[in-house]
Amino acid sequence: MVDPYALGWSFASVLMGLVALYILVDKKNRSRVSSETRSEGVERVTTITRGECRSTDGDADVIIVGAGVAGSALAHTLGKDGRRVHVIERDLTEPDRIVGELLQPGGYLKLIELGLEDCVEDIDAQRVFGYALFKDGKNTRLSYPLEKFHSDVSGRSFHNGRFIQRMREKAASLPNVRLEQGTVTSLLEENGTVKGVQYKTKDGNELTANAPLTIVCDGCFSNLRRSLCNPQVDVPSSFVGLVLENCELPYANHGHVILADPSPILFYPISSTEVRCLVDVPGKKVPSIANGEMEKYLKNMVAPQLPSEIYDSFVAAVDGGNIRTMPNRSMPADPHPTPGALLMGDAFNMRHPLTGGGMTVALSDIVVLRDLLKPLRDLNDARTLCKYLESFYTLRKPVASTINTLAGALYKVFCASPDRARKEMRQACFDYLSLGGVFSMGPVSLLSGLNPRPLSLVLHFFAVAVYGVGRLLVPFPSPSRIWIGARLISGASAIIFPIIKAEGVRQMFFPATVPAYYRAPPVSRDH
């Protein structure tokens, strides 16, 4: 008799071999491109030094709209490189959100690269070393592959507002960064080029600000992105947020994912005494908090599916009444390259927050943009700069598309379904990750942002599907089981391929074939 686990392993091993081959080839290609092609362009310009950047168009070199995670980190990064930065933020008081509280290890590495790692200090941030996955009374622990990194590297979870305030303070500490409270009402355009912004100050005065480059980072509710991109916003679900006091999670310093019915429930620490709970509710409507429907839903539908260690704290949090909701938005990046302007952060690209990858994508994007802008002394030639910055959209893809695709695909797999094939896929995913070794390390390294390789993601995703088919066909491959297996593969394809199409197949898997990938910085006017 053939062992279904052995069969699944054999299928998956072949796919993992392909992953290893891809990694070797990809590594060589990246090395060749970075050493030959991109360096040639950089040698043709004057590299700026701190304090050298000046603009003839206004008081700043760069205007940043929004001082959230992306805006604050970008302001500090560009300010540190000598740019004069004017940040306009609608509300400079400490934000109070129920998402943006978990920074993956890959995001923490980007924080270090940007010199912002001290922003997670003195805010009671908790170290996170992996995830625990729960399903039908069983559980498995998935650890981040951190062995090759410094002991300080791990995930971090915290109060979002505390983290943002620390980054705002760090940005504002630079003499060439001006942080101002105000509401940007529109972009100032002249002959198709963005010249700055019009905004209303805290006192109600209408002002304008000019700069050669305006970067819009005004978040998921952005009212400025419509002219800069094609926003296709989807709302697959909402999060219901609670804070559990003095709750001991089954696995300390781990995020917890409960594969519940109808969709996942998340738990992770946000301070030494608090645990965040996020209950996913599919669809665009949630039970009413005002008339008590939400309390009944949480106590009767959600609580019975939780591990016993969490149950009492969860019910106490529901009784406490501080229940909040937030729609989960996803939006693929579909920019309209516009001279004088650029989109970043949630205003530009969103994914389901299940995997906690949003801040990692934003910080990775900032590293890419910083490296592109560093050789440029002058930002005033808007059209030339716009053409050059088209490479940003390609260079960001390996990290962003991997995290975006994983978030969308994993959410659909983790949701309960009456369909037999979808049930098998969900169970196969749990069992595949429970195998350990490369079968858990590979997906977790993708999830954590430590190894953001799109092809590796696709191979692991279909390895799960093949593993599920193998379980169905052994020991007796009856016609009904074969049919379910075929539907499982078909369903897996229907989940992942539309997400890949939205991300852009060429940019995602073959970025080196996109002409913008090799675009050199414009030659300085001083030459």
Side-chain angles (χ1 to χ4, degrees):
M1 182 182 292
V2 181
D3 185 350
Y5 291 94
L7 181 61
W9 271 59
S10 64
F11 276 122
S13 297
V14 171
L15 289 172
M16 291 309 100
L18 292 174
V19 172
L21 179 62
Y22 164 75
I23 289 171
L24 289 173
V25 173
D26 183 60
K27 190 174 181 180
K28 289 182 180 179
N29 286 339
R30 288 178 187 226
S31 176
R32 177 179 58 80
V33 168
S34 62
S35 61
E36 295 177 11
T37 309
R38 296 196 61 80
S39 62
E40 291 177 9
V42 174
E43 289 172 1
R44 296 193 283 124
V45 301
T46 303
T47 303
I48 66 168
T49 57
R50 181 166 178 158
E52 252 191 339
C53 299
R54 289 295 176 264
S55 163
T56 59
D57 287 349
D59 296 331
D61 301 299
V62 180
I63 292 171
I64 296 175
V65 181
V69 172
S72 300
L74 183 61
H76 177 266
T77 300
L78 297 182
K80 199 169 61 168
D81 282 350
R83 312 278 181 194
R84 293 179 302 168
V85 182
H86 183 186
V87 185
I88 305 172
E89 161 59 36
R90 182 181 59 82
D91 185 357
L92 286 174
T93 60
E94 184 175 308
D96 183 15
R97 304 181 66 204
I98 65 171
V99 292
E101 299 171 319
L102 178 62
L103 181 66
Q104 297 287 359
Y108 182 71
L109 288 174
K110 296 299 179 185
L111 213 59
I112 293 173
E113 201 171 339
L114 295 170
L116 291 166
E117 67 273 21
D118 58 344
C119 290
V120 296
E121 296 174 4
D122 302 321
I123 60 172
D124 200 14
Q126 303 298 297
R127 300 188 70 184
V128 178
F129 298 109
Y131 282 88
L133 203 58
F134 292 75
K135 185 179 185 296
D136 299 332
K138 297 180 181 178
N139 67 80
T140 185
R141 185 169 64 173
L142 310 172
S143 298
Y144 292 138
L146 301 173
E147 297 80 9
K148 297 180 181 179
F149 297 95
H150 186 272
S151 60
D152 187 53
V153 176
S154 66
R156 293 291 195 282
S157 54
F158 38 69
H159 281 270
N160 172 268
R162 297 176 188 174
F163 178 56
I164 287 176
Q165 289 301 89
R166 289 280 286 144
M167 289 208 291
R168 288 174 177 174
E169 290 165 8
K170 184 133 186 181
S173 69
L174 297 176
N176 49 327
V177 175
R178 177 188 171 200
L179 202 58
E180 180 181 7
Q181 183 162 310
T183 302
V184 174
T185 54
S186 63
L187 300 175
L188 300 177
E189 288 192 38
E190 184 180 312
N191 299 323
T193 298
V194 173
K195 296 289 188 178
V197 300
Q198 182 172 340
Y199 69 103
K200 186 178 290 187
T201 67
K202 186 179 180 181
D203 299 327
N205 298 320
E206 290 276 359
L207 298 178
T208 62
N210 296 89
L213 181 60
T214 298
I215 303 177
V216 176
C217 310
D218 57 344
C220 61
F221 300 105
S222 173
N223 63 340
L224 301 176
R225 64 174 162 226
R226 190 161 296 278
S227 62
L228 303 176
C229 74
N230 180 29
Q232 299 292 325
V233 180
D234 182 37
V235 183
S237 67
S238 295
F239 270 155
V240 178
L242 297 162
V243 174
L244 280 56
E245 301 281 352
N246 299 309
C247 171
E248 289 193 15
L249 293 170
Y251 294 92
N253 298 102
H254 282 67
H256 290 57
V257 183
I258 318 298
L259 299 188
D261 185 359
S263 53
I265 304 165
L266 308 180
F267 294 90
Y268 51 86
I270 55 173
S271 75
S272 53
T273 61
E274 298 165 301
V275 168
R276 168 67 71 194
C277 169
L278 294 173
V279 178
D280 186 84
V281 179
K284 293 179 172 60
K285 292 184 178 180
V286 297
S288 170
I289 296 175
N291 65 12
E293 285 182 10
M294 179 65 79
E295 183 177 344
K296 290 179 183 177
Y297 177 81
L298 294 174
K299 285 185 175 180
N300 299 333
M301 291 290 294
V302 176
Q305 302 185 70
L306 302 179
S308 57
E309 300 96 321
I310 302 174
Y311 181 89
D312 289 341
S313 297
F314 178 82
V315 173
V318 174
D319 289 336
N322 188 16
I323 303 170
R324 301 172 60 192
T325 64
M326 180 174 179
N328 293 324
R329 293 171 171 81
S330 64
M331 184 185 78
D334 189 7
H336 300 153
T338 304
L342 195 69
L343 272 173
M344 294 196 76
D346 282 351
F348 174 49
N349 183 205
M350 294 180 281
R351 76 290 310 147
H352 196 285
L354 172 69
T355 56
M359 290 189 289
T360 299
V361 171
L363 294 171
S364 174
D365 283 354
I366 290 168
V367 170
V368 172
L369 183 63
R370 177 201 65 183
D371 293 344
L372 286 171
L373 291 179
K374 225 167 197 177
L376 306 184
R377 178 172 180 166
D378 191 336
L379 304 178
N380 284 293
D381 189 342
R383 295 196 176 276
T384 302
L385 178 64
C386 178
K387 194 73 175 172
Y388 168 58
L389 289 181
E390 285 180 12
S391 58
F392 167 75
Y393 303 119
T394 300
L395 294 170
R396 70 180 291 273
K397 273 295 178 179
V399 173
S401 62
T402 301
I403 292 173
N404 293 345
T405 304
L406 181 63
L410 210 55
Y411 175 70
K412 290 184 178 180
V413 170
F414 279 0
C415 283
S417 170
D419 181 74
R420 173 76 188 278
R422 288 284 298 273
K423 284 182 179 179
E424 291 290 345
M425 183 70 178
R426 193 185 196 213
Q427 186 63 49
C429 186
F430 179 83
D431 291 343
Y432 181 89
L433 293 171
S434 300
L435 292 173
V438 69
F439 304 104
S440 64
M441 189 180 300
V444 173
S445 65
L446 293 165
L447 175 71
S448 63
L450 295 172
N451 181 33
R453 298 179 184 272
L455 185 56
S456 177
L457 165 61
V458 173
L459 291 176
H460 274 291
F461 187 79
F462 279 103
V464 170
V466 171
Y467 178 75
V469 172
R471 289 157 36 93
L472 282 168
L473 299 185
V474 176
F476 304 112
S478 65
S480 64
R481 287 172 173 264
I482 293 173
W483 173 242
I484 294 170
R487 286 179 50 228
L488 193 156
I489 296 292
S490 173
S493 302
I495 286 173
I496 200 167
F497 286 147
I499 302 173
I500 291 173
K501 183 181 178 183
E503 289 293 323
V505 175
R506 188 180 179 190
Q507 287 185 316
M508 185 170 175
F509 295 101
F510 312 105
T513 69
V514 179
Y517 188 84
Y518 302 99
R519 199 151 286 161
V523 177
S524 170
R525 290 180 177 179
D526 292 349
H527 283 200

